[in-house]
Amino acid sequence: MNQTYPFYLKLSSILISIVILGFLAIIGQQILIPMVLGLLIAILLMPLCRFMENKLRFPRGLSSILASVFALAVIGAIIYLMSVEVAKLANDWPQFQKQFIQLTDNLQSWISRTFGVRRHEQLTYLNDTLKKSISTGTAILEKTLTSVGYVLMLTGFTFLFSLFFLLYRTHLLKFLVASFTETHHKTVFDIVENIQFMVKKYLVGLFLQMIIVTILSFIAYTIIGVKYNFMLAILTGILNILPYIGIFTALLIGALITFATSGISHVLFIVIAIVVIHAIDGNIIMPRVVGSKVKINSLIVIIGLVIGEMLWGIAGMLLTIPVLAIMKIIFDRVEGLQSWGFLMGEDDEVPVFKTIFDKYFLVKKAKVDKIIADSENETKE
């Protein structure tokens, strides 16, 4: 016997569940963030593990360790390349500072001529701002050191989680299957297979997109003649992973560095280059490489980005799309949650009460066709 519950009770249960899950996500972010990252990396590395186990006859433990070390080496190589470029920027810091002071002096002169604000008033404002910045310098340094330590800790725990997910993948799958009755086993296997397929395709597409955007950015920066073109190209490719926000951050950083090293004329070319690259990425690269793998509408993505940043900061924004895609796969296959899966997607087919929706729209279309036919007959008469 199917028991129905009133709407207010269902709504209350949903809202209470969302609040509890959000609270648990906040207090458990230290373990949940590396766990989710480790799970995504483990799914991406699973074909490599299977190749080593089936073709090379490696034991599962050895294949899991080698695959995890390979992923860690790739991440370490990217960090090393960025560190080398940042070191070059640090070596040129005196020249960078001199150029910036000269450009600032020119900007002050332009403000004085255009808006009538005297240099003395500008310097007074800048000195007050500088004093406030110096007073909080210790706190900023402490936060910076804490962030570096957090990144190292996050990398280490992500490596361990990916290793153990690869090592115990069969054990975890058996646990998921055993947690449900036999009638739901097929659904569980279907969800797991679709999540693996989606995550692998999405992450590979995202990596290809990052490489393509990095190459296009490097070519554009080289043609313009921007200093630190390699560092800015890598930074643009990495930040482009963040939907909607990353490209503006890359634009701001590139414009500031170019303003201090090359001049205002080059800044305009940088802005045009990044806008063109973003247009190519949004209309050609993204739909062909990444967009076909994840069918989440833009409204849900924006809401997810805001909530992800509120819960987990930058890491939450990076994990938003794959987590939303996993949720949609689950919602589409679980009875009672299919309407939420429809809300998150872009398709027009309604999985719940599909026949009722079809009848409604067919009747509506028939009425419209009848009105058009009657008007045509009246015109002929």
Side-chain angles (χ1 to χ4, degrees):
M1 179 179 179
N2 293 329
Q3 185 177 1
T4 58
Y5 297 96
F7 174 75
Y8 66 87
L9 184 59
K10 293 181 180 180
L11 180 61
S12 302
S13 300
I14 292 172
L15 294 178
I16 292 173
S17 300
I18 291 174
V19 171
I20 292 175
L21 290 175
F23 179 73
L24 293 177
I26 293 174
I27 64 174
Q29 61 178 318
Q30 299 294 335
I31 187 173
L32 290 176
I33 293 176
M35 183 182 293
V36 176
L37 284 172
L39 176 62
L40 297 177
I41 294 175
I43 294 175
L44 182 63
L45 295 175
M46 202 170 295
L48 179 60
C49 281
R50 288 174 178 169
F51 173 79
M52 288 189 287
E53 293 168 8
N54 298 330
K55 301 296 183 181
L56 303 179
R57 302 298 181 183
F58 286 177
R60 174 164 294 186
L62 180 59
S63 65
S64 301
I65 292 174
L66 292 177
S68 301
V69 169
F70 172 75
L72 187 63
V74 172
I75 296 174
I78 296 175
I79 295 175
Y80 173 76
L81 292 174
M82 289 295 297
S83 302
V84 170
E85 294 297 319
V86 172
K88 293 180 182 179
L89 180 62
N91 293 332
D92 293 340
W93 180 254
Q95 180 182 356
F96 180 89
Q97 189 177 19
K98 181 180 178 181
Q99 179 78 3
F100 190 80
I101 291 174
Q102 182 180 355
L103 290 171
T104 303
D105 185 66
N106 295 334
L107 182 62
Q108 283 182 329
S109 300
W110 179 79
I111 292 175
S112 179
R113 291 193 307 268
T114 305
F115 300 102
V117 181
R118 293 178 297 177
R119 282 174 171 267
H120 176 71
E121 296 176 357
Q122 297 180 41
L123 290 174
T124 302
Y125 175 77
L126 290 175
N127 288 332
D128 293 338
T129 305
L130 182 60
K131 289 178 181 178
K132 294 178 182 178
S133 300
I134 293 174
S135 64
T136 58
T138 305
I140 293 173
L141 180 60
E142 182 181 355
K143 289 182 179 180
T144 302
L145 294 176
T146 304
S147 301
V148 173
Y150 174 73
V151 170
L152 294 176
M153 183 193 70
L154 178 65
T155 304
F157 276 105
T158 301
F159 168 77
L160 291 176
F161 274 118
S162 62
L163 171 62
F164 288 121
F165 278 133
L166 289 172
L167 189 60
Y168 295 106
R169 59 183 183 270
T170 304
H171 189 75
L172 294 173
L173 179 59
K174 290 180 179 179
F175 163 75
L176 289 176
V177 175
S179 300
F180 298 91
T181 59
E182 188 175 354
T183 55
H184 296 97
H185 286 177
K186 183 179 179 182
T187 303
V188 173
F189 279 113
D190 185 38
I191 291 175
V192 171
E193 289 178 359
N194 279 275
I195 289 176
Q196 290 180 357
F197 176 80
M198 182 278 304
V199 170
K200 285 187 290 188
K201 296 296 183 181
Y202 172 73
L203 293 181
V204 170
L206 202 65
F207 186 69
L208 291 175
Q209 180 195 19
M210 185 177 67
I211 292 177
I212 295 172
V213 171
T214 301
I215 293 174
L216 291 177
S217 302
F218 179 74
I219 294 173
Y221 296 157
T222 304
I223 294 174
I224 296 172
V226 177
K227 199 172 184 180
Y228 310 111
N229 53 356
F230 185 65
M231 181 189 72
L232 291 176
I234 295 178
L235 197 62
T236 304
I238 294 175
L239 290 175
N240 192 64
I241 296 176
L242 295 175
Y244 308 112
I245 300 173
I247 194 67
F248 294 106
T249 306
L251 176 61
L252 179 62
I253 295 174
L256 287 175
I257 294 179
T258 305
F259 175 75
T261 56
S262 300
I264 300 177
S265 60
H266 286 75
V267 173
L268 178 61
F269 292 115
I270 283 291
V271 172
I272 295 174
I274 292 181
V275 169
V276 171
I277 291 171
H278 180 62
I280 295 174
D281 174 55
N283 295 283
I284 300 176
I285 302 174
M286 185 75 174
R288 295 178 181 272
V289 178
V290 181
S292 59
K293 313 297 186 298
V294 181
K295 298 294 185 181
I296 305 293
N297 65 64
S298 300
L299 174 63
I300 300 299
V301 170
I302 290 293
I303 295 174
L305 287 173
V306 174
I307 296 175
E309 198 280 332
M310 291 171 61
L311 295 178
W312 293 349
I314 298 298
M317 297 176 70
L318 288 172
L319 296 173
T320 292
I321 294 182
V323 169
L324 288 176
I326 291 174
M327 291 172 59
K328 186 178 186 305
I329 290 174
I330 297 174
F331 291 165
D332 285 343
R333 288 159 179 79
V334 176
E335 186 177 355
L337 298 176
Q338 292 177 339
S339 58
W340 292 93
F342 167 75
L343 176 65
M344 297 173 65
E346 293 183 337
D347 54 326
D348 294 328
E349 293 186 2
V350 182
V352 184
F353 309 122
K354 187 173 184 301
T355 55
I356 296 178
F357 277 96
D358 288 345
K359 289 179 181 178
Y360 172 77
F361 286 112
L362 287 174
V363 170
K364 193 173 182 180
K365 183 176 181 300
K367 290 181 178 179
V368 173
D369 292 341
K370 186 176 183 301
I371 293 173
I372 294 174
D374 292 342
S375 61
E376 289 179 352
N377 291 333
E378 290 176 0
T379 303
K380 291 179 180 179
E381 292 176 356

